[in-house]
Amino acid sequence: MEYLVTMTTHVPEGTSQAEVDEVRSREAAHSRRLAEQGQLLRLWRPPLQPGEWRTLGLFAAQDAAHLEDALSSMPLRVWRSDEVTPLTPHPNDPGPASTAASGAVKEFLVTFAPAATEDATSEALKDATAAEAVRAKELAGQGHLVRLWKTPGERRALGLWRARDAAEMQTVLDSLPQAPWLSMETTPLSEHPSDPGAVRS
């Protein structure tokens, strides 16, 4: 099973820079080990306010208990709180093999939720839902759609996307057949130095 983990670090006041650097160094080394073991798939930095220290991580684990074992083994956990979102397969997910890409691109995390005006029984929405799978496959082939998940117990979907910039990303999202029935929240992602699956130009 895969999990999206929001990791927020609060370094205690009075901690020396030398101690921070030492813990960060151990964290980077441990992240490499977790990646080698197939537990850590990706790391990103979301937009941050001044002084914020937050990371998004995509992890794979047998279950929540095994995920907690991995998270608690990370050196930064002594200063960190983690928010875990379990991810379940989406029928339109192109799969992990799609994560390889070339060229300079930006990555975006997009949350999809049904719009308040949604009429689940409308013929137009049923047609759009059928067309969505075809469009998702096209966008995966073009390198835009990387991964797509559902969140358990909710009617939300979460997608990892790639585009040259925010404007192109919005154009891609507007092209989705279900776009008129969805609310979308797009989070631009920055490269994390310890990301095991970074997109390199």
Side-chain angles (χ1 to χ4, degrees):
M1 189 166 176
E2 292 176 314
Y3 299 85
L4 181 69
V5 184
T6 302
M7 300 175 279
T8 305
T9 301
H10 300 281
V11 178
E13 192 173 341
T15 304
S16 70
Q17 187 60 48
E19 186 177 355
V20 172
D21 292 345
E22 190 270 338
V23 173
R24 289 183 87 159
S25 177
R26 287 193 292 117
E27 179 85 357
H30 191 69
S31 293
R32 286 192 293 273
R33 284 194 295 275
L34 289 175
E36 290 165 2
Q37 295 164 7
Q39 296 179 78
L40 174 59
L41 306 178
R42 295 296 310 273
L43 285 173
W44 303 275
R45 293 204 190 286
L48 300 173
Q49 297 298 321
E52 264 193 314
W53 187 350
R54 196 157 38 96
T55 300
L56 296 177
L58 180 63
F59 289 80
Q62 183 178 330
D63 52 33
H66 285 84
L67 174 68
E68 176 56 27
D69 287 345
L71 294 175
S72 62
S73 73
M74 301 175 79
L76 273 174
R77 186 66 179 275
V78 296
W79 298 329
R80 200 181 72 207
S81 60
D82 297 331
E83 180 185 336
V84 176
T85 302
L87 304 172
T88 58
H90 190 288
N92 295 340
D93 177 29
S98 71
T99 57
S102 60
V105 294
K106 296 184 181 300
E107 293 187 299
F108 300 84
L109 198 62
V110 182
T111 302
F112 301 90
T117 57
E118 174 190 3
D119 177 4
T121 63
S122 75
E123 285 301 315
L125 178 55
K126 290 178 183 177
D127 291 344
T129 301
E132 190 82 2
V134 175
R135 183 62 178 147
K137 188 171 183 179
E138 291 173 353
L139 291 171
Q142 295 167 11
H144 290 300
L145 175 58
V146 181
R147 295 295 311 277
L148 194 61
W149 304 272
K150 293 190 294 183
T151 55
E154 300 180 32
R155 298 178 65 202
R156 293 189 312 147
L158 189 67
L160 177 61
W161 298 78
R162 289 183 179 142
R164 288 191 303 270
D165 52 34
E168 184 184 49
M169 186 71 264
Q170 190 57 53
T171 299
V172 168
L173 295 175
D174 289 343
S175 77
L176 295 172
Q178 287 184 321
W181 291 273
L182 295 172
S183 65
M184 303 181 223
E185 181 181 342
T186 302
T187 302
L189 302 171
S190 300
E191 184 176 318
H192 190 287
S194 297
D195 178 19
V199 181
R200 307 295 181 188
S201 57

